Amino acid sequence: MFSSTAAPHREHTSQPIVTGTSVLGLKYAGGVMLAADTLASYGSMAKYKNARRLVSVDNVLLGAGGEYSDFQAIQRLLEANALEEQCMSGLYEQHRGNAKETWNYLRAVMYNRRNKMNPLWNDLVVAGLDESKKPFLGWVDKIGTTFEDSLVATGFGSYLALPLMREKYRTDLGEGEARALLEDCMRILFYRDCRASNRIQIAKVEESGEVLISDPYELDTQWDSAAFVTPVADLDGDGGW
């Protein structure tokens, strides 16, 4: 017989519970810009309306879709690393991290957790400057797959927003044009993704290294499109019961 004092079996998260959806990012002429909404959903319930998914750690921008508690754990891990660097700077030559180093570190973290069959259920977007002080934008998923590009998106944004971003993108986009493009894409996601919200944040890293994250604000929306008001299948009403 097994002892009644035996330790309980180990439990791993088998699926995300409270989740955020798309994060969009692009490089523009003056730096890197990210956008995300502030909704965290509990299943299909719009549970938390002020879940901010864009954070800055040691002059590196991090955005996340997926399980919100795992994102908080990643944020605390990066903050602990940044604090350790600051504490050690008095003993050794000071080394300030950059976005590409953070991106590579997160790749190792996500891959390590995946190999333990206990992944962090997130898709991450890392933005900032690389070791050459040039704008950097990278993507990491929950199994440690990575890539860097001028345009990235997570969640439904990779299907709905990324094609629109590719169509309108130019390498010489100004800051205003980049912001307008991201807002248009976030508006489309609000129309088409039932886990999205029109309450969003915009964040940027400038070429000087300065990081700015906006307060949440609401996008203007229009619901008079013919696709929204035309009866479904030529039926009276919306085709529902």
Side-chain angles (χ1 to χ4, degrees):
M1 295 180 62
F2 292 104
S3 170
S4 60
T5 60
H9 65 280
R10 180 178 298 175
E11 295 183 357
H12 292 168
T13 302
S14 58
Q15 64 181 14
I17 304 299
V18 177
T19 59
T21 183
S22 307
V23 178
L24 309 181
L26 58 79
K27 294 180 183 178
Y28 65 98
V32 191
M33 191 174 293
L34 302 184
D37 64 35
T38 61
L39 177 64
S41 300
Y42 179 69
S44 60
M45 179 190 296
K47 180 74 171 176
Y48 302 106
K49 307 293 179 64
N50 193 35
R52 304 187 182 196
R53 298 184 291 118
L54 299 179
V55 298
S56 172
V57 180
D58 200 23
N59 286 342
V60 175
L61 265 180
L62 179 67
E67 172 60 44
Y68 194 71
S69 63
D70 284 349
F71 169 55
Q72 292 174 313
I74 292 169
Q75 181 183 354
R76 288 194 295 268
L77 178 62
L78 294 178
E79 288 172 346
N81 289 345
L83 179 60
E84 183 179 359
E85 288 280 354
Q86 293 175 9
C87 293
M88 298 298 289
S89 63
L91 301 175
Y92 304 101
E93 181 180 355
Q94 186 170 5
H95 170 73
R96 193 170 188 83
N98 58 66
K100 194 164 188 177
E101 285 185 2
T102 301
W103 173 70
N104 274 307
Y105 173 73
L106 289 174
R107 173 199 55 77
V109 169
M110 304 300 267
Y111 185 69
N112 175 264
R113 288 291 296 263
R114 173 252 190 175
N115 285 344
K116 293 179 178 179
M117 304 302 171
N118 187 23
L120 295 165
W121 293 80
N122 296 109
D123 290 334
L124 305 172
V125 176
V126 181
L129 304 180
D130 62 16
E131 64 277 6
S132 302
K133 305 301 180 184
K134 294 181 180 178
F136 174 86
L137 183 61
W139 179 92
V140 188
D141 73 0
K142 68 178 183 296
I143 62 173
T145 305
T146 61
F147 68 86
E148 54 180 297
D149 203 349
S150 298
L151 299 168
V152 299
T154 72
F156 256 94
S158 60
Y159 302 98
L160 298 177
L162 200 54
L164 301 174
M165 294 167 68
R166 286 171 176 160
E167 181 181 355
K168 302 293 185 181
Y169 181 71
R170 306 190 320 272
T171 55
D172 61 346
L173 278 178
E175 180 181 334
E177 293 175 301
R179 184 183 186 117
L181 177 55
L182 288 177
E183 287 182 344
D184 286 344
C185 291
M186 294 302 295
R187 189 177 290 110
I188 293 296
L189 288 171
F190 175 57
Y191 290 150
R192 299 297 182 184
D193 181 2
C194 62
R195 302 291 184 269
S197 168
N198 68 327
R199 190 170 187 268
I200 71 167
Q201 285 182 284
I202 299 286
K204 66 176 181 177
V205 182
E206 298 178 339
E207 288 183 330
S208 63
E210 184 178 6
V211 178
L212 297 172
I213 303 177
S214 75
D215 290 329
Y217 64 96
E218 293 190 2
L219 295 173
D220 294 329
T221 56
Q222 294 180 340
W223 296 93
D224 56 358
S225 169
F228 297 144
V229 300
T230 301
V232 177
D234 296 324
L235 300 174
D236 292 334
D238 62 0
W241 294 101

